[in-house]
Amino acid sequence: MKSPFSPIFPFVFALLLSYHIRVTSADFHATSAPVADLESLIQCLSMHSDNSSISKVIYTQINSSYSSVLNFSIQNLRFSTPNTPKPQVIVTPLDVSQVQAAIKCSKKHGLQIRVRSGGHDFEGLSYVSHVPFVVIDLLNLSEISVDAAEQTAWVQAGATLGQLYYRIAEKSKNLGFPGGLCPTVGESFPELGLTKEDCIEMSWIESAHDLAGFKKGDPLDLLLDRNSRTNGVAEDAATNGFFKSKSDYVKPPIPENAFEGIYDNFYEEDGETAFMLLVPYGGKMSEISESETPYPHRAGNIYQILYTVTWGEDETSQSHIDWIRRLYSHMTPYVSENPREAYINYRDLDIGTNNRGHTSIKQASIWGSKYFKNNFKRLVHVKTMVDPYDFFKNEQSIPPLTSWRKKNGD
Ligand SMILES: *[C@@H]1O[C@H](CO)[C@@H](O)[C@H](O)[C@H]1NC(C)=O
Ligand SMILES: *[C@@H]1O[C@H](CO)[C@@H](O)[C@H](O)[C@H]1NC(C)=O
Ligand SMILES: *[C@@H]1O[C@H](CO)[C@@H](O)[C@H](O)[C@H]1NC(C)=O
Ligand SMILES: CC(=O)N[C@H]1CO[C@H](CO)[C@@H](O)[C@@H]1O
């Protein structure tokens, strides 16, 4: 990448909740909302939306297209089995008022919401919940406008990285945006015998296309296709459908004998379709302070590891998940510790989850400090200000401080 593409501002949705119905955890424990509730939910959606077209973007389980809309962007078949909890309603908003209506009405009807953009959450959190829920799927909010002269872009939250990369490349050969995988193969592993001949020099947009799993001659505009099942380096995951991933950060170099243990794991039957991706750090990443953005994994890391194991049949899910947990356990002495850091975009519920009801900050900080280090505390403060009742909740969402609520009279 020749010149960094910044600043990029995400579209800011006005998600302010204008009233204060207290959503208690008890609301979320109903096993399924009766149909009558769904009818009033749909009525509520029409009433609260400025736009009369909202009925065209509401899918309940009786709509014939419900299951194709739900399946459309599910990337991990672990979360598309008959036992996987399904949303009561899917809403695919066409404008902001419909997003607002979906939030207000879900809250009013005691339904949790899950917001889906590309459907890549590794643990399916963007489209699965174990309490009655609504999926707000942002696929139709995917406008992108790039101003190459100003080096800025406005991107709606439902746009995919492929779409963003393509639109940037249309405007400029030199600008890029580091939204996904780092395209450069690192010079920082001389001990693995990597030479210049092992590397291929390509433009930034070619690398985005290549990492997406497309072949050299394939048209660039395949990046626009949000339905494509290629999953970049995780092509096996796309082919096999089921996968489980974990992540680590490496500070001192891993000794060679540790790799022998890694190879042993990969020779096991369940490891046949697994891979480890080592993403080099340093450079620009080390210049950014840990507290600059929520993402804290900066100076001191030589690389990040993504572990992924893939498989094709639900029956073998447990043995593959056990396999990757054994590999992760083998790696313990060689990776970051106190906390053992992890990458939020490689979501891993093994490292800790919230309770269905109240979760203490102490409990949440077990996984929170792995993803965010010291920034976790600041995120708790932000959360307490914008969502004190914890409506926007999932298994690894930041919990608010409950002491704030007590102080303010709840
Ligand atoms: C409703 O939204 C759609 C998509 O954003 C737009 O095309 C249409 O004009 C809107 N209709 C009204 C009545 O605002
Ligand atoms: C959606 O996925 C489920 C599970 O994989 C499958 O049973 C169902 O047939 C799919 N529906 C559609 C419309 O593709
Ligand atoms: C919503 O997005 C999908 C996928 O890009 C597209 O097929 C569909 O036509 C869009 N719907 C509307 C109403 O824009
Ligand atoms: C998109 C769509 O056709 N949604 C329909 C699903 O069914 C409800 C009635 O149950 C209609 O109101 C929606 O228009």
Side-chain angles (χ1 to χ4, degrees):
M1 190 181 325
K2 290 200 181 100
S3 116
F5 195 72
S6 69
I8 296 274
F9 299 102
F11 231 26
V12 178
F13 285 112
L15 296 182
L16 290 177
L17 301 168
S18 57
Y19 55 96
H20 293 271
I21 295 174
R22 174 131 191 224
V23 181
T24 65
S25 55
D27 290 333
F28 289 141
H29 284 153
T31 44
S32 73
V35 175
D37 274 358
L38 278 187
E39 273 166 20
S40 62
L41 176 72
I42 290 166
Q43 258 176 19
C44 173
L45 288 167
S46 317
M47 254 170 57
H48 281 90
S49 164
D50 302 341
N51 192 317
S52 58
S53 66
I54 194 161
S55 67
K56 299 198 184 74
V57 300
I58 301 168
Y59 302 86
T60 63
Q61 301 196 2
I62 54 171
N63 278 121
S64 54
S65 23
Y66 170 90
S67 125
S68 59
V69 173
L70 179 63
N71 285 6
F72 176 71
S73 65
I74 290 182
Q75 300 285 334
N76 190 343
L77 294 185
R78 267 169 76 206
F79 308 107
S80 188
T81 70
N83 296 331
T84 307
K86 305 284 190 286
Q88 309 266 324
V89 176
I90 306 167
V91 185
T92 58
L94 301 175
D95 63 29
V96 172
S97 77
Q98 296 180 344
V99 177
Q100 291 169 323
I103 293 168
K104 281 182 190 159
C105 298
S106 302
K107 190 175 183 204
K108 191 169 168 194
H109 286 80
L111 294 163
Q112 206 178 78
I113 59 169
R114 292 298 159 109
V115 181
R116 181 163 71 172
S117 183
H120 280 255
D121 189 291
F122 280 10
E123 299 276 18
L125 300 192
S126 57
Y127 51 89
V128 180
S129 169
H130 293 275
V131 296
F133 69 111
V134 171
V135 165
I136 300 179
D137 193 316
L138 301 176
L139 84 163
N140 290 114
L141 291 170
S142 55
E143 272 173 36
I144 296 168
S145 68
V146 176
D147 184 334
E150 288 293 319
Q151 304 193 0
T152 59
W154 285 85
V155 183
Q156 279 190 311
T160 65
L161 283 178
Q163 293 168 344
L164 173 61
Y165 293 168
Y166 184 87
R167 295 297 169 213
I168 293 171
E170 270 183 335
K171 291 279 172 75
S172 162
K173 296 274 169 282
N174 298 328
L175 296 174
F177 179 70
L181 288 162
C182 180
T184 41
V185 179
E187 307 92 67
S188 51
F189 308 117
E191 63 273 37
L192 296 183
L194 195 69
T195 65
K196 202 173 168 209
E197 285 66 42
D198 297 317
C199 304
I200 304 168
E201 187 170 349
M202 55 177 75
S203 72
W204 173 76
I205 191 66
E206 284 166 348
S207 72
H209 183 259
D210 184 71
L211 283 169
F214 300 119
K215 305 276 169 302
K216 202 164 188 301
D218 290 346
L220 212 52
D221 64 10
L222 288 174
L223 285 171
L224 295 176
D225 181 6
R226 67 186 305 140
N227 202 10
S228 92
R229 289 285 296 218
T230 60
N231 205 357
V233 287
E235 227 178 323
D236 271 348
T239 316
N240 285 328
F242 295 77
F243 68 92
K244 167 75 189 164
S245 297
K246 300 174 84 65
S247 63
D248 261 320
Y249 287 87
V250 176
K251 292 168 201 274
I254 295 180
E256 237 171 281
N257 62 6
F259 276 93
E260 283 159 24
I262 295 172
Y263 298 145
D264 291 343
N265 278 276
F266 276 80
Y267 284 130
E268 291 175 21
E269 196 183 329
D270 286 327
E272 272 173 10
T273 53
F275 66 85
M276 275 169 72
L277 176 73
L278 313 185
V279 179
Y281 271 44
K284 187 74 184 169
M285 290 297 273
S286 300
E287 291 167 25
I288 302 168
S289 97
E290 291 196 356
S291 59
E292 178 95 9
T293 72
Y295 183 91
H297 315 286
R298 304 290 185 177
N301 291 299
I302 54 176
Y303 56 94
Q304 176 206 54
I305 306 177
L306 164 67
Y307 312 91
T308 297
V309 63
T310 75
W311 63 97
E313 309 275 333
D314 197 22
E315 293 71 49
T316 64
S317 291
Q318 197 54 51
S319 69
H320 286 93
I321 292 171
D322 291 345
W323 178 88
I324 201 170
R325 287 177 181 158
R326 282 199 303 280
L327 174 65
Y328 189 73
S329 157
H330 167 74
M331 295 302 289
T332 309
Y334 312 115
V335 296
S336 64
E337 55 182 352
N338 298 317
R340 183 171 183 175
E341 297 169 31
Y343 180 32
I344 180 115
N345 282 3
Y346 297 153
R347 173 100 58 199
D348 179 9
L349 294 183
D350 293 353
I351 66 173
T353 62
N354 293 330
N355 302 328
R356 289 212 186 154
H358 171 74
T359 304
S360 70
I361 303 298
K362 189 165 174 238
Q363 182 186 335
S365 70
I366 295 171
W367 55 263
S369 64
K370 291 172 183 288
Y371 286 148
F372 301 114
K373 298 178 75 176
N374 282 331
N375 297 335
F376 177 70
K377 290 182 209 132
R378 288 166 67 199
L379 291 168
V380 167
H381 285 282
V382 173
K383 172 75 174 186
T384 306
M385 282 164 62
V386 299
D387 185 24
Y389 300 105
D390 205 14
F391 175 65
F392 298 97
K393 183 181 162 93
N394 66 38
E395 285 78 353
Q396 285 181 341
S397 56
I398 308 281
L401 278 167
T402 43
S403 56
W404 183 92
R405 279 171 14 194
K406 291 194 190 94
K407 210 169 65 201
N408 287 273
D410 278 299

